[in-house]
PDB file of all heavy atoms in Angstrom:
ATOM      1  N   SER A 273      -0.064 -19.551  25.154  1.00 98.00           N
ATOM      2  CA  SER A 273      -0.754 -19.126  23.940  1.00 98.00           C
ATOM      3  C   SER A 273      -1.716 -17.992  24.247  1.00 98.00           C
ATOM      4  O   SER A 273      -1.926 -17.633  25.406  1.00 98.00           O
ATOM      5  CB  SER A 273      -1.521 -20.310  23.333  1.00 98.00           C
ATOM      6  OG  SER A 273      -2.598 -20.670  24.189  1.00 98.00           O
ATOM      7  N   TYR A 274      -2.278 -17.415  23.198  1.00 98.00           N
ATOM      8  CA  TYR A 274      -3.251 -16.335  23.294  1.00 98.00           C
ATOM      9  C   TYR A 274      -4.567 -16.849  22.722  1.00 98.00           C
ATOM     10  O   TYR A 274      -4.583 -17.391  21.615  1.00 98.00           O
ATOM     11  CB  TYR A 274      -2.810 -15.120  22.468  1.00 98.00           C
ATOM     12  CG  TYR A 274      -1.491 -14.506  22.892  1.00 98.00           C
ATOM     13  CD1 TYR A 274      -0.275 -15.105  22.551  1.00 98.00           C
ATOM     14  CD2 TYR A 274      -1.467 -13.310  23.604  1.00 98.00           C
ATOM     15  CE1 TYR A 274       0.937 -14.532  22.927  1.00 98.00           C
ATOM     16  CE2 TYR A 274      -0.258 -12.723  23.975  1.00 98.00           C
ATOM     17  CZ  TYR A 274       0.932 -13.348  23.635  1.00 98.00           C
ATOM     18  OH  TYR A 274       2.117 -12.779  24.012  1.00 98.00           O
ATOM     19  N   SER A 275      -5.664 -16.651  23.437  1.00 98.00           N
ATOM     20  CA  SER A 275      -6.967 -17.112  22.944  1.00 98.00           C
ATOM     21  C   SER A 275      -7.634 -15.999  22.150  1.00 98.00           C
ATOM     22  O   SER A 275      -7.956 -14.945  22.699  1.00 98.00           O
ATOM     23  CB  SER A 275      -7.875 -17.495  24.112  1.00 98.00           C
ATOM     24  OG  SER A 275      -7.479 -18.743  24.615  1.00 98.00           O
ATOM     25  N   LEU A 276      -7.862 -16.243  20.870  1.00 98.00           N
ATOM     26  CA  LEU A 276      -8.416 -15.191  20.025  1.00 98.00           C
ATOM     27  C   LEU A 276      -9.887 -15.430  19.693  1.00 98.00           C
ATOM     28  O   LEU A 276     -10.713 -14.543  19.840  1.00 98.00           O
ATOM     29  CB  LEU A 276      -7.612 -15.073  18.722  1.00 98.00           C
ATOM     30  CG  LEU A 276      -6.091 -14.966  18.857  1.00 98.00           C
ATOM     31  CD1 LEU A 276      -5.464 -14.628  17.516  1.00 98.00           C
ATOM     32  CD2 LEU A 276      -5.695 -13.918  19.877  1.00 98.00           C
ATOM     33  N   VAL A 277     -10.190 -16.617  19.211  1.00 98.00           N
ATOM     34  CA  VAL A 277     -11.547 -16.915  18.746  1.00 98.00           C
ATOM     35  C   VAL A 277     -11.971 -18.264  19.323  1.00 98.00           C
ATOM     36  O   VAL A 277     -11.167 -19.193  19.382  1.00 98.00           O
ATOM     37  CB  VAL A 277     -11.596 -16.992  17.198  1.00 98.00           C
ATOM     38  CG1 VAL A 277     -13.002 -17.324  16.711  1.00 98.00           C
ATOM     39  CG2 VAL A 277     -11.103 -15.699  16.563  1.00 98.00           C
ATOM     40  N   ASP A 278     -13.213 -18.344  19.736  1.00 97.00           N
ATOM     41  CA  ASP A 278     -13.775 -19.631  20.165  1.00 97.00           C
ATOM     42  C   ASP A 278     -15.268 -19.559  19.881  1.00 97.00           C
ATOM     43  O   ASP A 278     -16.054 -19.125  20.706  1.00 97.00           O
ATOM     44  CB  ASP A 278     -13.488 -19.870  21.655  1.00 97.00           C
ATOM     45  CG  ASP A 278     -13.893 -21.290  22.088  1.00 97.00           C
ATOM     46  OD1 ASP A 278     -14.556 -21.989  21.290  1.00 97.00           O
ATOM     47  OD2 ASP A 278     -13.544 -21.673  23.208  1.00 97.00           O
ATOM     48  N   ASP A 279     -15.652 -19.926  18.656  1.00 94.00           N
ATOM     49  CA  ASP A 279     -17.065 -19.845  18.281  1.00 94.00           C
ATOM     50  C   ASP A 279     -17.602 -21.240  17.969  1.00 94.00           C
ATOM     51  O   ASP A 279     -16.972 -22.238  18.302  1.00 94.00           O
ATOM     52  CB  ASP A 279     -17.262 -18.861  17.117  1.00 94.00           C
ATOM     53  CG  ASP A 279     -16.592 -19.318  15.833  1.00 94.00           C
ATOM     54  OD1 ASP A 279     -16.235 -20.513  15.723  1.00 94.00           O
ATOM     55  OD2 ASP A 279     -16.421 -18.481  14.930  1.00 94.00           O
ATOM     56  N   GLU A 280     -18.763 -21.304  17.332  1.00 91.00           N
ATOM     57  CA  GLU A 280     -19.384 -22.601  17.048  1.00 91.00           C
ATOM     58  C   GLU A 280     -18.493 -23.523  16.228  1.00 91.00           C
ATOM     59  O   GLU A 280     -18.521 -24.731  16.395  1.00 91.00           O
ATOM     60  CB  GLU A 280     -20.688 -22.387  16.270  1.00 91.00           C
ATOM     61  CG  GLU A 280     -21.868 -22.073  17.141  1.00 91.00           C
ATOM     62  CD  GLU A 280     -23.184 -22.316  16.406  1.00 91.00           C
ATOM     63  OE1 GLU A 280     -23.145 -22.583  15.182  1.00 91.00           O
ATOM     64  OE2 GLU A 280     -24.231 -22.236  17.046  1.00 91.00           O
ATOM     65  N   GLN A 281     -17.724 -22.904  15.322  1.00 93.00           N
ATOM     66  CA  GLN A 281     -16.986 -23.714  14.371  1.00 93.00           C
ATOM     67  C   GLN A 281     -15.488 -23.812  14.615  1.00 93.00           C
ATOM     68  O   GLN A 281     -14.866 -24.801  14.244  1.00 93.00           O
ATOM     69  CB  GLN A 281     -17.191 -23.148  12.956  1.00 93.00           C
ATOM     70  CG  GLN A 281     -18.600 -23.243  12.450  1.00 93.00           C
ATOM     71  CD  GLN A 281     -18.694 -22.661  11.058  1.00 93.00           C
ATOM     72  OE1 GLN A 281     -18.103 -23.179  10.130  1.00 93.00           O
ATOM     73  NE2 GLN A 281     -19.402 -21.567  10.923  1.00 93.00           N
ATOM     74  N   PHE A 282     -14.910 -22.738  15.149  1.00 97.00           N
ATOM     75  CA  PHE A 282     -13.443 -22.694  15.202  1.00 97.00           C
ATOM     76  C   PHE A 282     -12.901 -22.241  16.549  1.00 97.00           C
ATOM     77  O   PHE A 282     -13.540 -21.465  17.272  1.00 97.00           O
ATOM     78  CB  PHE A 282     -12.911 -21.715  14.144  1.00 97.00           C
ATOM     79  CG  PHE A 282     -13.136 -22.174  12.742  1.00 97.00           C
ATOM     80  CD1 PHE A 282     -14.170 -21.635  11.980  1.00 97.00           C
ATOM     81  CD2 PHE A 282     -12.319 -23.148  12.182  1.00 97.00           C
ATOM     82  CE1 PHE A 282     -14.380 -22.060  10.678  1.00 97.00           C
ATOM     83  CE2 PHE A 282     -12.532 -23.575  10.884  1.00 97.00           C
ATOM     84  CZ  PHE A 282     -13.560 -23.034  10.124  1.00 97.00           C
ATOM     85  N   VAL A 283     -11.703 -22.702  16.824  1.00 97.00           N
ATOM     86  CA  VAL A 283     -10.891 -22.148  17.907  1.00 97.00           C
ATOM     87  C   VAL A 283      -9.615 -21.609  17.262  1.00 97.00           C
ATOM     88  O   VAL A 283      -8.943 -22.322  16.512  1.00 97.00           O
ATOM     89  CB  VAL A 283     -10.519 -23.227  18.947  1.00 97.00           C
ATOM     90  CG1 VAL A 283      -9.533 -22.661  19.972  1.00 97.00           C
ATOM     91  CG2 VAL A 283     -11.778 -23.739  19.640  1.00 97.00           C
ATOM     92  N   VAL A 284      -9.348 -20.342  17.494  1.00 98.00           N
ATOM     93  CA  VAL A 284      -8.114 -19.753  16.973  1.00 98.00           C
ATOM     94  C   VAL A 284      -7.270 -19.284  18.150  1.00 98.00           C
ATOM     95  O   VAL A 284      -7.757 -18.563  19.026  1.00 98.00           O
ATOM     96  CB  VAL A 284      -8.387 -18.550  16.040  1.00 98.00           C
ATOM     97  CG1 VAL A 284      -7.077 -18.019  15.467  1.00 98.00           C
ATOM     98  CG2 VAL A 284      -9.350 -18.930  14.932  1.00 98.00           C
ATOM     99  N   LYS A 285      -6.022 -19.718  18.142  1.00 98.00           N
ATOM    100  CA  LYS A 285      -5.083 -19.271  19.165  1.00 98.00           C
ATOM    101  C   LYS A 285      -3.821 -18.750  18.493  1.00 98.00           C
ATOM    102  O   LYS A 285      -3.527 -19.093  17.340  1.00 98.00           O
ATOM    103  CB  LYS A 285      -4.736 -20.424  20.114  1.00 98.00           C
ATOM    104  CG  LYS A 285      -5.927 -20.860  20.965  1.00 98.00           C
ATOM    105  CD  LYS A 285      -5.561 -21.901  21.995  1.00 98.00           C
ATOM    106  CE  LYS A 285      -6.800 -22.212  22.861  1.00 98.00           C
ATOM    107  NZ  LYS A 285      -6.533 -23.253  23.850  1.00 98.00           N
ATOM    108  N   ALA A 286      -3.111 -17.895  19.221  1.00 98.00           N
ATOM    109  CA  ALA A 286      -1.831 -17.392  18.718  1.00 98.00           C
ATOM    110  C   ALA A 286      -0.718 -17.913  19.609  1.00 98.00           C
ATOM    111  O   ALA A 286      -0.949 -18.246  20.772  1.00 98.00           O
ATOM    112  CB  ALA A 286      -1.836 -15.869  18.710  1.00 98.00           C
ATOM    113  N   PHE A 287       0.476 -17.983  19.045  1.00 98.00           N
ATOM    114  CA  PHE A 287       1.644 -18.378  19.848  1.00 98.00           C
ATOM    115  C   PHE A 287       2.814 -17.483  19.470  1.00 98.00           C
ATOM    116  O   PHE A 287       2.808 -16.812  18.435  1.00 98.00           O
ATOM    117  CB  PHE A 287       1.968 -19.861  19.647  1.00 98.00           C
ATOM    118  CG  PHE A 287       2.041 -20.295  18.207  1.00 98.00           C
ATOM    119  CD1 PHE A 287       3.253 -20.318  17.527  1.00 98.00           C
ATOM    120  CD2 PHE A 287       0.893 -20.675  17.523  1.00 98.00           C
ATOM    121  CE1 PHE A 287       3.321 -20.723  16.193  1.00 98.00           C
ATOM    122  CE2 PHE A 287       0.949 -21.080  16.188  1.00 98.00           C
ATOM    123  CZ  PHE A 287       2.167 -21.099  15.526  1.00 98.00           C
ATOM    124  N   ARG A 288       3.799 -17.471  20.347  1.00 98.00           N
ATOM    125  CA  ARG A 288       4.895 -16.519  20.222  1.00 98.00           C
ATOM    126  C   ARG A 288       6.023 -17.007  19.324  1.00 98.00           C
ATOM    127  O   ARG A 288       6.411 -18.174  19.372  1.00 98.00           O
ATOM    128  CB  ARG A 288       5.458 -16.212  21.615  1.00 98.00           C
ATOM    129  CG  ARG A 288       4.491 -15.480  22.505  1.00 98.00           C
ATOM    130  CD  ARG A 288       5.062 -15.301  23.893  1.00 98.00           C
ATOM    131  NE  ARG A 288       5.266 -16.593  24.541  1.00 98.00           N
ATOM    132  CZ  ARG A 288       6.060 -16.782  25.589  1.00 98.00           C
ATOM    133  NH1 ARG A 288       6.735 -15.758  26.096  1.00 98.00           N
ATOM    134  NH2 ARG A 288       6.195 -17.975  26.126  1.00 98.00           N
ATOM    135  N   LEU A 289       6.525 -16.079  18.515  1.00 98.00           N
ATOM    136  CA  LEU A 289       7.675 -16.358  17.660  1.00 98.00           C
ATOM    137  C   LEU A 289       8.785 -15.361  17.978  1.00 98.00           C
ATOM    138  O   LEU A 289       8.527 -14.264  18.482  1.00 98.00           O
ATOM    139  CB  LEU A 289       7.273 -16.210  16.184  1.00 98.00           C
ATOM    140  CG  LEU A 289       6.133 -17.114  15.705  1.00 98.00           C
ATOM    141  CD1 LEU A 289       5.732 -16.739  14.289  1.00 98.00           C
ATOM    142  CD2 LEU A 289       6.565 -18.579  15.785  1.00 98.00           C
ATOM    143  N   PHE A 290      10.011 -15.746  17.664  1.00 98.00           N
ATOM    144  CA  PHE A 290      11.145 -14.844  17.834  1.00 98.00           C
ATOM    145  C   PHE A 290      11.513 -14.264  16.475  1.00 98.00           C
ATOM    146  O   PHE A 290      11.708 -14.978  15.495  1.00 98.00           O
ATOM    147  CB  PHE A 290      12.354 -15.587  18.427  1.00 98.00           C
ATOM    148  CG  PHE A 290      13.456 -14.651  18.841  1.00 98.00           C
ATOM    149  CD1 PHE A 290      13.475 -14.103  20.115  1.00 98.00           C
ATOM    150  CD2 PHE A 290      14.467 -14.290  17.944  1.00 98.00           C
ATOM    151  CE1 PHE A 290      14.487 -13.225  20.505  1.00 98.00           C
ATOM    152  CE2 PHE A 290      15.478 -13.411  18.323  1.00 98.00           C
ATOM    153  CZ  PHE A 290      15.484 -12.875  19.603  1.00 98.00           C
ATOM    154  N   HIS A 291      11.606 -12.916  16.434  1.00 98.00           N
ATOM    155  CA  HIS A 291      11.925 -12.225  15.182  1.00 98.00           C
ATOM    156  C   HIS A 291      12.622 -10.920  15.550  1.00 98.00           C
ATOM    157  O   HIS A 291      12.841 -10.648  16.727  1.00 98.00           O
ATOM    158  CB  HIS A 291      10.607 -11.990  14.405  1.00 98.00           C
ATOM    159  CG  HIS A 291      10.783 -11.385  13.052  1.00 98.00           C
ATOM    160  ND1 HIS A 291      11.710 -11.840  12.144  1.00 98.00           N
ATOM    161  CD2 HIS A 291      10.154 -10.341  12.443  1.00 98.00           C
ATOM    162  CE1 HIS A 291      11.626 -11.110  11.045  1.00 98.00           C
ATOM    163  NE2 HIS A 291      10.695 -10.188  11.195  1.00 98.00           N
ATOM    164  N   ARG A 292      12.949 -10.098  14.586  1.00 97.00           N
ATOM    165  CA  ARG A 292      13.570  -8.796  14.875  1.00 97.00           C
ATOM    166  C   ARG A 292      12.651  -7.949  15.747  1.00 97.00           C
ATOM    167  O   ARG A 292      13.102  -7.135  16.540  1.00 97.00           O
ATOM    168  CB  ARG A 292      13.877  -8.025  13.573  1.00 97.00           C
ATOM    169  CG  ARG A 292      14.978  -8.613  12.717  1.00 97.00           C
ATOM    170  CD  ARG A 292      16.326  -8.624  13.375  1.00 97.00           C
ATOM    171  NE  ARG A 292      16.766  -7.306  13.817  1.00 97.00           N
ATOM    172  CZ  ARG A 292      17.847  -7.084  14.554  1.00 97.00           C
ATOM    173  NH1 ARG A 292      18.600  -8.094  14.939  1.00 97.00           N
ATOM    174  NH2 ARG A 292      18.179  -5.866  14.913  1.00 97.00           N
ATOM    175  N   ILE A 293      11.358  -8.080  15.534  1.00 97.00           N
ATOM    176  CA  ILE A 293      10.353  -7.476  16.409  1.00 97.00           C
ATOM    177  C   ILE A 293       9.372  -8.591  16.770  1.00 97.00           C
ATOM    178  O   ILE A 293       9.310  -9.605  16.063  1.00 97.00           O
ATOM    179  CB  ILE A 293       9.619  -6.284  15.733  1.00 97.00           C
ATOM    180  CG1 ILE A 293       8.838  -6.742  14.496  1.00 97.00           C
ATOM    181  CG2 ILE A 293      10.600  -5.180  15.342  1.00 97.00           C
ATOM    182  CD1 ILE A 293       7.967  -5.646  13.887  1.00 97.00           C
ATOM    183  N   PRO A 294       8.606  -8.435  17.844  1.00 97.00           N
ATOM    184  CA  PRO A 294       7.719  -9.533  18.254  1.00 97.00           C
ATOM    185  C   PRO A 294       6.793  -9.980  17.122  1.00 97.00           C
ATOM    186  O   PRO A 294       6.175  -9.151  16.444  1.00 97.00           O
ATOM    187  CB  PRO A 294       6.919  -8.914  19.404  1.00 97.00           C
ATOM    188  CG  PRO A 294       7.837  -7.897  19.977  1.00 97.00           C
ATOM    189  CD  PRO A 294       8.560  -7.314  18.782  1.00 97.00           C
ATOM    190  N   SER A 295       6.704 -11.272  16.934  1.00 98.00           N
ATOM    191  CA  SER A 295       5.926 -11.854  15.843  1.00 98.00           C
ATOM    192  C   SER A 295       5.098 -13.016  16.411  1.00 98.00           C
ATOM    193  O   SER A 295       5.424 -13.567  17.461  1.00 98.00           O
ATOM    194  CB  SER A 295       6.905 -12.338  14.762  1.00 98.00           C
ATOM    195  OG  SER A 295       6.230 -12.933  13.690  1.00 98.00           O
ATOM    196  N   PHE A 296       4.004 -13.332  15.713  1.00 98.00           N
ATOM    197  CA  PHE A 296       3.105 -14.367  16.198  1.00 98.00           C
ATOM    198  C   PHE A 296       2.779 -15.382  15.102  1.00 98.00           C
ATOM    199  O   PHE A 296       2.856 -15.080  13.908  1.00 98.00           O
ATOM    200  CB  PHE A 296       1.787 -13.752  16.697  1.00 98.00           C
ATOM    201  CG  PHE A 296       1.972 -12.869  17.908  1.00 98.00           C
ATOM    202  CD1 PHE A 296       2.140 -11.501  17.756  1.00 98.00           C
ATOM    203  CD2 PHE A 296       2.017 -13.412  19.185  1.00 98.00           C
ATOM    204  CE1 PHE A 296       2.341 -10.683  18.867  1.00 98.00           C
ATOM    205  CE2 PHE A 296       2.214 -12.605  20.301  1.00 98.00           C
ATOM    206  CZ  PHE A 296       2.378 -11.232  20.141  1.00 98.00           C
ATOM    207  N   GLY A 297       2.402 -16.569  15.555  1.00 98.00           N
ATOM    208  CA  GLY A 297       1.839 -17.565  14.664  1.00 98.00           C
ATOM    209  C   GLY A 297       0.402 -17.810  15.090  1.00 98.00           C
ATOM    210  O   GLY A 297       0.028 -17.534  16.237  1.00 98.00           O
ATOM    211  N   PHE A 298      -0.415 -18.303  14.160  1.00 98.00           N
ATOM    212  CA  PHE A 298      -1.824 -18.539  14.459  1.00 98.00           C
ATOM    213  C   PHE A 298      -2.188 -19.982  14.138  1.00 98.00           C
ATOM    214  O   PHE A 298      -1.767 -20.523  13.118  1.00 98.00           O
ATOM    215  CB  PHE A 298      -2.715 -17.591  13.649  1.00 98.00           C
ATOM    216  CG  PHE A 298      -2.438 -16.137  13.908  1.00 98.00           C
ATOM    217  CD1 PHE A 298      -1.706 -15.368  12.996  1.00 98.00           C
ATOM    218  CD2 PHE A 298      -2.865 -15.526  15.081  1.00 98.00           C
ATOM    219  CE1 PHE A 298      -1.427 -14.036  13.245  1.00 98.00           C
ATOM    220  CE2 PHE A 298      -2.593 -14.198  15.343  1.00 98.00           C
ATOM    221  CZ  PHE A 298      -1.874 -13.442  14.423  1.00 98.00           C
ATOM    222  N   SER A 299      -2.972 -20.564  15.024  1.00 98.00           N
ATOM    223  CA  SER A 299      -3.460 -21.919  14.800  1.00 98.00           C
ATOM    224  C   SER A 299      -4.989 -21.875  14.732  1.00 98.00           C
ATOM    225  O   SER A 299      -5.643 -21.352  15.642  1.00 98.00           O
ATOM    226  CB  SER A 299      -2.959 -22.814  15.942  1.00 98.00           C
ATOM    227  OG  SER A 299      -3.982 -23.636  16.418  1.00 98.00           O
ATOM    228  N   VAL A 300      -5.527 -22.372  13.628  1.00 98.00           N
ATOM    229  CA  VAL A 300      -6.980 -22.399  13.426  1.00 98.00           C
ATOM    230  C   VAL A 300      -7.423 -23.854  13.494  1.00 98.00           C
ATOM    231  O   VAL A 300      -6.978 -24.679  12.688  1.00 98.00           O
ATOM    232  CB  VAL A 300      -7.360 -21.807  12.053  1.00 98.00           C
ATOM    233  CG1 VAL A 300      -8.874 -21.847  11.850  1.00 98.00           C
ATOM    234  CG2 VAL A 300      -6.833 -20.390  11.907  1.00 98.00           C
TER     235      VAL A 300
END
Side-chain angles (χ1 to χ4, degrees):
Chain A
S273 68
Y274 299 77
S275 284
L276 310 189
V277 179
D278 188 350
D279 65 16
E280 277 199 352
Q281 295 180 65
F282 292 102
V283 173
V284 183
K285 293 186 176 178
F287 49 94
R288 294 176 296 161
L289 301 173
F290 190 89
H291 185 47
R292 291 297 304 172
I293 63 173
S295 179
F296 295 94
F298 301 103
S299 135
V300 180

